[in-house]
Amino acid sequence: MKLDISEFTGKITENEVFVGSGFLIDAKCFITARHNLISPLQDEVDEKWVSVDIGRGKTVRGKTLNLKQAYEKNIDCVFICLEDEVLDTTFTKIVIPTSATVGLNYAIYGYPKERVEGIEIKGTVASDAEARSIDFVLNVDKIDKLQSYKGLSGAPIVINGFIVGIVLQQETSEQLYGISFKRIKESFPE
């Protein structure tokens, strides 16, 4: 059975404005990129309420759990606790790869503003070495290239049916950057 990434991926809106992609890690917890929820010039950060559209007409409110801590640690990852459980989906496991992922195929699913209905993008991992605030460089297959990936931040990076990280930003139309769950766990051990 092929994993359908779109089942556990959703859109985040704040005050009815789309801000980015994210995904369920269990029935009550959603994860996204921190920069989807705060601006880089913001001086003060507090936890906030957002809406998460999981698809199939299912929208759930949720409150950030670590927005302030993520801002203080400069880690681009935020967990959102949902008010209601989302049970009608297939979940996958989050893993920390124990061997190199360079050269492996990946898939991501998210909602770039250029393709608001959602899109699956595939390619190969170009690098999994830690540099700055990222540790995945992802080459995008030619067929899946977009001019802009804005809105894709927070989408899951899936390798061999397991979520290994989060998409953070676009380098070029051919490359995306991401952060691994190894790095996230080091920053948020709890």
Side-chain angles (χ1 to χ4, degrees), residues 121-132:
I121 296 173
K122 295 180 180 181
T124 56
V125 178
S127 173
D128 58 6
E130 194 171 310
R132 302 176 303 192

Side-chain angles (χ1 to χ4, degrees), residues 150-167:
K150 188 171 178 69
L152 196 65
S153 292
I157 302 169
V158 178
I159 297 176
N160 294 328
F162 299 103
I163 301 173
V164 297
I166 301 170
V167 175

Side-chain angles (χ1 to χ4, degrees), residues 3-177:
L3 178 68
D4 184 355
I5 305 169
S6 69
E7 279 192 36
F8 53 83
T9 306
K11 301 178 191 178
I12 301 167
T13 57
E14 185 178 2
N15 301 319
E16 299 182 20
V17 175
F18 171 69
V19 296
S21 301
F23 57 97
L24 290 164
I25 56 175
D26 67 28
K28 284 203 68 154
C29 191
F30 195 81
I31 191 168
T32 190
R34 179 199 74 221
H35 72 264
N36 287 339
L37 301 173
I38 60 174
S39 70
L41 302 175
Q42 205 165 333
D43 288 336
E44 205 166 304
V45 176
D46 287 315
E47 304 306 329
K48 60 172 67 177
W49 287 92
V50 296
S51 293
V52 175
D53 178 359
I54 305 296
R56 302 172 311 276
K58 179 109 175 148
T59 301
V60 182
R61 280 180 27 99
K63 187 173 184 180
T64 60
L65 296 174
N66 68 321
L67 185 60
K68 188 171 185 168
Q69 185 182 24
Y71 178 79
E72 290 168 355
K73 290 184 173 191
N74 197 28
I75 298 297
D76 206 353
C77 172
V78 174
F79 297 92
I80 300 168
C81 182
L82 303 177
E83 280 186 316
D84 299 314
E85 289 186 332
V86 178
L87 299 172
D88 58 343
T89 190
T90 302
F91 295 102
T92 185
K93 292 185 179 174
I94 292 172
V95 298
I96 298 172
T98 55
S99 58
T101 58
V102 174
L104 294 180
N105 294 326
Y106 73 85
I108 58 179
Y109 189 92
Y111 300 90
K113 292 184 179 186
E114 199 173 302
R115 297 282 302 269
V116 293
E117 70 279 0
I119 186 173
E120 183 174 42
I121 296 173
K122 295 180 180 181
T124 56
V125 178
S127 173
D128 58 6
E130 194 171 310
R132 302 176 303 192
S133 61
I134 58 124
D135 53 0
F136 276 120
V137 178
L138 307 168
N139 288 336
V140 177
D141 284 351
K142 188 174 186 172
I143 195 168
D144 292 333
K145 286 182 191 170
L146 300 174
Q147 289 296 313
S148 171
Y149 297 91
K150 188 171 178 69
L152 196 65
S153 292
I157 302 169
V158 178
I159 297 176
N160 294 328
F162 299 103
I163 301 173
V164 297
I166 301 170
V167 175
L168 295 183
Q169 67 187 43
Q170 172 181 353
E171 169 63 6
T172 66
S173 64
E174 300 171 351
Q175 284 191 325
L176 301 170
Y177 288 153

